[in-house]
Amino acid sequence: MVETMTKIKICGVKTLSDALAAIEAGTDYLGFNFYPKSVRFIEKDACAEITSVLKRKHSHIKLVGVFVNSSVEEVKGILNTCSLDLAQLHGDETPEIFAQLEPNAFKAFRGIPSDVTGYERGDAPALLVDAAVKGVYGGSGVIADWSAAAELAKRYPLLLAGGLTPENVAEAVGRVKPWGVDSASGVESSAGEKDAGKMKAFVQAVKRLEISQPPISNL
């Protein structure tokens, strides 16, 4: 299994086989989408079956639930039922909603936020940046604003999403220098169907960049 310094999240997992393939590829985080309108939507009972296996056999992998404007009670219930580590709030959640789920939640922004007041989080990832696509809550395949994201990544441990693929993720990491990268549609053979080869290529692309550009030591 490949390990990277840049954290890698594969999002929109719907089957145990895809979860295991992502882990074998070297992912650090797995995302499960609970937004009913998404092609990557998973029912909580189906998710719980998958995560029960993962918690037993791959307890080092962090499990994330993706929510869009769900109630606090629903989010907490799914986190508990599915033994998830974090909630990714990908809708229009207010700071008040965020506060009720903190520290087990981080906010995803569609587009570059001008202000993250009320959504600060001490742990990584502090926040996620995705592309801004009208009416779409993630998984659009559209690339985010890397230049603006790079400025944000200087201040926060940033999880970068938005149109990342095996072909462009190395460039994204080199330009943005995020804490981690997140891919859903970019590692699929068709909408909602993960591709084991693409997931492996995605991780390897990040790994090759890190080998060719090792971090500078401050010692």
Side-chain angles (χ1 to χ4, degrees):
M1 184 176 68
V2 182
E3 292 185 358
T4 62
M5 290 172 285
T6 302
K7 299 300 183 183
I8 294 176
K9 176 170 170 277
I10 300 297
C11 201
V13 173
K14 296 197 296 182
T15 67
L16 178 59
S17 60
D18 283 350
L20 295 176
I23 292 170
E24 176 64 24
T27 193
D28 304 288
Y29 287 68
L30 290 175
F32 301 90
N33 195 318
F34 295 99
Y35 180 46
K37 294 183 180 180
S38 172
V39 296
R40 300 172 188 89
F41 172 71
I42 187 169
E43 295 281 358
K44 67 177 180 180
D45 290 343
C47 180
E49 290 182 11
I50 296 171
T51 56
S52 67
V53 175
L54 301 182
K55 284 296 183 182
R56 290 198 309 271
K57 298 184 176 181
H58 303 279
S59 58
H60 63 291
I61 300 297
K62 296 295 185 182
L63 307 178
V64 182
V66 179
F67 301 92
V68 175
N69 301 330
S70 297
S71 68
V72 170
E73 292 72 22
E74 181 181 8
V75 173
K76 287 184 175 180
I78 290 176
L79 289 179
N80 182 60
T81 298
C82 300
S83 301
L84 302 178
D85 299 292
L86 289 168
Q88 175 180 317
L89 306 180
H90 215 104
D92 308 299
E93 297 85 5
T94 63
E96 290 73 26
I97 294 291
F98 175 80
Q100 293 179 67
L101 295 167
E102 224 274 327
N104 300 314
F106 61 95
K107 186 72 179 76
F109 294 92
R110 302 185 308 282
I112 305 298
S114 58
D115 184 10
V116 299
T117 300
Y119 296 107
E120 295 92 343
R121 182 171 187 267
D123 295 328
L127 52 93
L128 178 148
V129 166
D130 199 353
V133 180
K134 185 177 181 180
V136 178
Y137 292 93
S140 66
V142 176
I143 293 174
D145 183 340
W146 290 351
S147 295
E151 292 302 312
L152 205 57
K154 293 176 182 178
R155 294 185 285 143
Y156 303 98
L158 174 71
L159 187 55
L160 179 68
L164 297 180
T165 68
E167 292 76 27
N168 69 15
V169 68
E171 181 184 357
V173 171
R175 288 177 56 181
V176 178
K177 296 178 174 57
W179 169 85
V181 288
D182 185 341
S183 184
S185 62
V187 290
E188 294 179 343
S189 54
S190 60
E193 304 298 325
K194 293 292 179 280
D195 184 299
K198 289 184 178 181
M199 289 190 289
K200 184 176 181 180
F202 188 85
V203 175
Q204 289 179 335
V206 177
K207 183 65 175 178
R208 282 195 297 270
L209 176 69
E210 292 177 345
I211 291 173
S212 64
Q213 299 180 8
I216 298 173
S217 175
N218 292 322
L219 299 179

